[in-house]
């Protein structure tokens, strides 16, 4: 495998003239044949890379997300270094919420912190709609990246209504989501009003990215695993469906991911996903059975395995590639994001191993 100066990977037997729409990543998302299993990593844009820490020095997270030149450089770094099959836009799930008028900040070591948590109907009214002008820096960053990436697809993303609502109601990250559930159960009309508004914000944010040229989008519902399937279907599924079904005619694959969602995988697919992300707790062959044959899967190496000796990592990678063969399409990824202490060289070796093992499997049929 070679990597050109834009980070576009050229591999034996694969045309470099077909563009990102015919890349292994997009083809796998569409459940089409591929020469090798494509691989990318959640949180690959930054986190573990020394070049990321250098460029982010003394620049706040929200400010970083609002600088197109910085966004483009950070997004490209893991593509250059690892030879992954897709780039993911460097951003944060609260970026569109901030653009919608919510006073918040991303505090290092804590996460998003909301100045005035949502408690009343008046608080919900403060969350306004957004359009391209509100996130013009994202539009510009995507256009810069599409030009630089060439045949390598760019993934856009956004936070799902439930996860965004949880941050707004709790005022920040939460282990129990007690305030969130209290609103869901005790004030369902208020809850649905908040989520409906956030669904419109999220849909608009993803549409901006699609219009600017991303090849796929991922909807992160990071905290959905805190819910039972019944609660998910009642309080969350309608709003995630608004987002994903709203992009049904956009012409790009839609990926839906959450953590701890083993019992929700089927419902998450029903929301309108083409690909369902699976965390490390559920084997991919089991997940495929729950999700059904109409959708591809993404995942699902435990991020902490990357700290083990290489023979352990190799065995786990081979296991996941093999289990992914049960799915109609498989995109190799971690079961959650890259941890900051991860050795970047290990990630590079994992990419090469996935390509090698899966290409051999493809040749064998």
């Amino acid at each position: 495998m070679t990597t050109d100066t834009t980070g576009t990977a050229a591999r034996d037997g694969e045309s470099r003239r077909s563009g990102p729409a015919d890349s292994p990543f997009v083809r796998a998302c569409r459940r089409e044949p591929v020469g090798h299993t494509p691989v990318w990593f959640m949180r690959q844009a930054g986190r573990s890379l020394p070049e990321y820490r250098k460029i982010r020095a003394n620049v706040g997270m929200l400010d970083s997300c609002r600088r197109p030149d910085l966004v483009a450089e950070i997004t490209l770094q893991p593509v250059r270094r690892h030879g992954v099959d897709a780039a993911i836009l460097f951003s944060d799930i609260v970026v569109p919420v901030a653009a919608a008028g919510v006073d918040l900040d991303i505090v290092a070591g804590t996460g998003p912190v909301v100045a005035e948590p949502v408690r009343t109907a008046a608080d919900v009214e403060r969350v306004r709609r957004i359009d391209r002008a509100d996130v013009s820096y994202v539009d510009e960053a995507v256009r810069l990246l599409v030009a630089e990436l060439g045949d390598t697809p760019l993934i856009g993303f956004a936070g799902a209504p439930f996860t965004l609502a949880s941050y707004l109601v709790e005022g920040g990250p939460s282990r129990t989501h007690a305030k969130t559930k209290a609103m869901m159960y005790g004030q369902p009309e208020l809850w649905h009003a908040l989520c409906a508004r956030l669904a419109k914000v999220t849909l608009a944010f993803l549409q901006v990215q699609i219009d600017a040229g991303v090849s796929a989008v991922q909807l992160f519902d990071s905290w959905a695993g805190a819910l039972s399937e019944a609660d998910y279907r009642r309080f969350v599924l309608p709003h995630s469906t608004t987002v994903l079904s709203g992009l049904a005619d956009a012409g790009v694959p839609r990926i839906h991911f959450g953590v701890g969602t083993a019992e929700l995988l089927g419902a998450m697919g029903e929301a309108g996903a083409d690909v369902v992300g699976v965390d490390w707790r559920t084997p991919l062959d089991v997940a495929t059975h729950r999700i059904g044959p109409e959708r591809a899967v993404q995942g699902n190496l435990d991020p902490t395995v990357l700290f083990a000796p290489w023979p352990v990592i190799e065995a786990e990678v081979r296991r996941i590639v093999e289990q992914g063969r049960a799915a109609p399409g498989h995109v190799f990824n971690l079961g959650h994001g890259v941890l900051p202490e991860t050795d970047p060289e290990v990630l590079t070796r994992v990419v090469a191993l996935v390509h090698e093992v899966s290409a051999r499997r493809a040749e064998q049929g």
Side-chain angles (χ1 to χ4, degrees):
M1 182 183 71
T2 60
T3 303
D4 67 20
T5 56
T6 68
T8 302
R11 298 185 180 88
D12 293 343
E14 292 174 6
S15 170
R16 298 191 65 248
R17 298 184 295 274
S18 54
D22 199 41
S23 64
F25 167 75
V26 172
R27 289 181 64 85
C29 289
R30 290 177 171 158
R31 296 170 286 131
E32 297 173 354
V34 292
H36 69 267
T37 299
V39 52
W40 68 280
F41 304 111
M42 287 180 282
R43 293 180 182 161
Q44 68 185 18
R47 304 283 286 188
S48 66
L49 300 183
E51 54 264 43
Y52 166 79
R53 291 192 289 270
K54 181 178 180 181
I55 202 171
R56 273 286 320 279
N58 302 315
V59 183
M61 182 62 182
L62 274 177
D63 288 342
S64 299
C65 297
R66 292 166 175 159
R67 288 177 49 181
D69 58 334
L70 198 58
V71 169
E73 172 58 25
I74 293 171
T75 301
L76 289 167
Q77 286 174 350
V79 183
R80 296 191 190 109
R81 179 186 273 264
H82 303 312
V84 287
D85 292 280
I88 185 165
L89 181 71
F90 174 74
S91 189
D92 190 273
I93 63 171
V94 299
V95 165
V97 179
V102 176
D103 184 4
L104 59 83
D105 193 15
I106 302 174
V107 179
T110 300
V113 176
V114 178
E116 297 181 43
V118 172
R119 297 285 186 270
T120 67
D123 295 334
V124 172
E125 289 295 323
R126 295 203 310 268
V127 183
R128 60 177 179 81
R129 294 194 181 198
I130 66 169
D131 57 25
R132 190 182 66 82
D134 295 308
V135 288
S136 59
Y137 43 85
V138 172
D139 176 83
E140 182 179 347
V142 170
R143 294 179 189 277
L144 286 172
L145 281 161
V146 169
E148 286 289 321
L149 284 164
D151 291 344
T152 300
L154 175 64
I155 305 167
F157 78 91
F162 171 79
T163 291
L164 294 178
S166 180
Y167 278 119
L168 295 190
V169 173
E170 300 287 343
S174 171
R175 292 185 180 275
T176 63
H177 308 281
K179 295 183 179 66
T180 301
K181 292 184 178 183
M183 182 182 289
M184 281 170 39
Y185 300 139
Q187 299 175 282
E189 291 184 2
L190 181 62
W191 170 260
H192 284 296
L194 173 61
C195 287
R197 189 160 293 226
L198 290 171
K200 292 176 181 177
V201 170
T202 298
L203 178 57
F205 188 57
L206 289 173
Q207 191 64 60
V208 167
Q209 296 173 61
I210 291 169
D211 291 345
V214 299
S215 298
V217 293
Q218 177 157 310
L219 188 67
F220 283 85
D221 212 350
S222 306
W223 307 133
L227 302 174
S228 68
E229 183 181 357
D231 285 346
Y232 178 86
R233 288 185 176 278
R234 178 182 176 189
F235 295 111
V236 178
L237 181 57
H239 306 293
S240 293
T241 300
T242 294
V243 178
L244 292 170
S245 65
L247 301 173
D249 297 326
V252 302
R254 300 155 295 171
I255 309 169
H256 200 9
F257 172 76
V259 182
T261 55
E263 300 302 319
L264 308 180
L265 291 172
M268 292 180 72
E270 291 172 24
D274 301 296
V275 185
V276 178
V278 183
D279 76 9
W280 65 92
R281 298 171 178 88
T282 309
L284 289 182
D285 49 355
V286 175
T288 296
H289 178 72
R290 295 178 182 179
I291 295 164
E294 300 85 9
R295 297 171 183 89
V297 298
Q298 179 175 279
N300 66 340
L301 182 68
D302 187 334
T304 64
V305 168
L306 297 172
F307 298 97
W310 177 252
V312 176
I313 300 171
E314 180 177 0
E316 284 296 286
V317 168
R318 290 177 180 273
R319 175 184 65 80
I320 290 165
V321 170
E322 180 61 29
Q323 290 179 344
R325 286 164 58 84
H330 176 213
V331 176
F332 190 99
N333 207 308
L334 302 182
H336 201 197
V338 175
L339 296 170
E341 304 83 4
T342 306
D343 181 353
E345 294 303 317
V346 172
L347 291 172
T348 304
R349 292 183 71 182
V350 167
V351 173
L353 179 62
V354 172
H355 289 162
E356 176 190 348
V357 171
S358 59
R360 189 179 303 127
R361 295 283 191 187
E363 290 172 2
Q364 295 171 349

